[in-house]
Amino acid sequence: MKAQDYPRQVQELIARLKRMPGVGSRGAERHALWFLQHGRNDARALAEALLAAADEVGSCPQCGFFSQKGELCTACSDPARDGALLCVVEQPTDVLPIERCGTFRGLYHCLGGKISPLDGVLPEDLSVAQLLERVKKAPGCEVILAVGSDVEGETTALYLAEQLAQSDCRVSRLAQGMPAGAGLGQADAVTLMRALEGRKGL
Amino acid sequence: MKAQDYPRQVQELIARLKRMPGVGSRGAERHALWFLQHGRNDARALAEALLAAADEVGSCPQCGFFSQKGELCTACSDPARDGALLCVVEQPTDVLPIERCGTFRGLYHCLGGKISPLDGVLPEDLSVAQLLERVKKAPGCEVILAVGSDVEGETTALYLAEQLAQSDCRVSRLAQGMPAGAGLGQADAVTLMRALEGRKGL
């Protein structure tokens, strides 16, 4: 006698769900059973959504954010945006957090990563040449380096500042300091050091 | 100027992922971005697995466990199983935990729920008639009531025991007592009471 298991298709579905980040064996099984018991239409709709996203979504040829395949993203094709303000981020996924803060009216440039020789990511793996090209086409623009404040992010920012030194543009970096709403007890030593260095007169 | 959002297909994918139980807005967004950035082939494979599961998996016409649509499940079609031992569970999802304990060699019967008038589930909503029919075809069999030990489970067990009283079968109920590996401190009062009631001579 063989112990009974789920039908082949259910086992395959569980295996596929388990590949998603943060989904373990139990979670994948729970999801699969939910689709079978309550959500067959949901399963079909999610399948369609997955195929549409995988097949129809591409990268904006100008900034690298997600867009309809082969088309400019909504920011790059919006004439109301300020083309003289370029916000450089590591990943396309860094764009939405900035959009959601609601005050940035310029365009983006997604590098595709950060310089990290240990992980095999060198400057030529990032879209630095395209950035220099964009800056050349918008003389007098401001380039905001909105890369992370970890070691690789700082390295990337320094490298970009050097590369941009010959271009006709101002280069700025996101402020570092206390996060909003935090007490002194929650800030680590480096954050406090940066907050002290960057203190402002009132 | 409109704030930029993800392309329509990505928003749809996030909305679809969010319908899964236990997946919130942040998790759905993280999953969707993972599919776009690292897993386009994973997205297509998951879509196929979802469609296969939704379209090809049905219920075993005899016991109600998952099976290839229109076919008996692997337990019901296994001649090595003991047809005189029927384990009655609430849901198809209760079958695998019993299979995994590795000692049960009989067949299953999935009721499709438990009696719960407050939730509108009455005995006629469960596959009780089919159970009586199966018992009639296997005179002298044993019916193990493996429904939950909550109020609705107990109600369902009592109701089934009454219905089966006229049939030629023995009726048993899963033992209640201390969970394996637990100290007395972890057991609640009702569990301890049941464990005392059901104590066994050594």
Side-chain angles (χ1 to χ4, degrees), chain B residues 165-186:
Chain B
Q166 312 300 324
S167 307
D168 176 16
C169 69
R170 278 167 304 145
V171 179
S172 60
R173 179 96 174 86
L174 287 188
Q176 292 187 28
M178 298 288 297
L184 281 188
Q186 278 119 53

Side-chain angles (χ1 to χ4, degrees), chain A residues 82-200:
Chain A
D82 184 355
L85 198 55
L86 266 186
C87 183
V88 178
V89 293
E90 293 172 11
Q91 296 289 355
T93 48
D94 297 327
V95 168
L96 267 273
I98 298 178
E99 284 294 297
R100 283 173 188 155
C101 80
T103 54
F104 183 73
R105 303 177 57 86
L107 298 179
Y108 293 92
H109 190 83
C110 305
L111 288 173
K114 50 191 173 183
I115 299 173
S116 175
L118 286 177
D119 301 315
V121 183
L122 301 172
E124 48 268 36
D125 298 317
L126 308 178
S127 62
V128 178
Q130 293 91 319
L131 174 63
L132 297 175
E133 200 56 41
R134 285 182 76 182
V135 169
K136 198 186 280 179
K137 283 185 196 154
C141 69
E142 177 177 357
V143 178
I144 305 173
L145 300 176
V147 292
S149 54
D150 52 350
V151 175
E152 295 87 1
E154 295 290 355
T155 309
T156 309
L158 278 175
Y159 176 82
L160 290 177
E162 243 171 51
Q163 296 292 308
L164 289 164
Q166 312 301 322
S167 306
D168 177 16
C169 69
R170 280 167 301 147
V171 179
S172 59
R173 178 99 175 85
L174 286 188
Q176 291 186 29
M178 299 287 298
L184 280 188
Q186 279 119 52
D188 60 286
V190 180
T191 299
L192 267 179
M193 191 185 76
R194 299 268 160 79
L196 276 170
E197 282 171 8
R199 66 188 179 277
K200 280 181 159 182

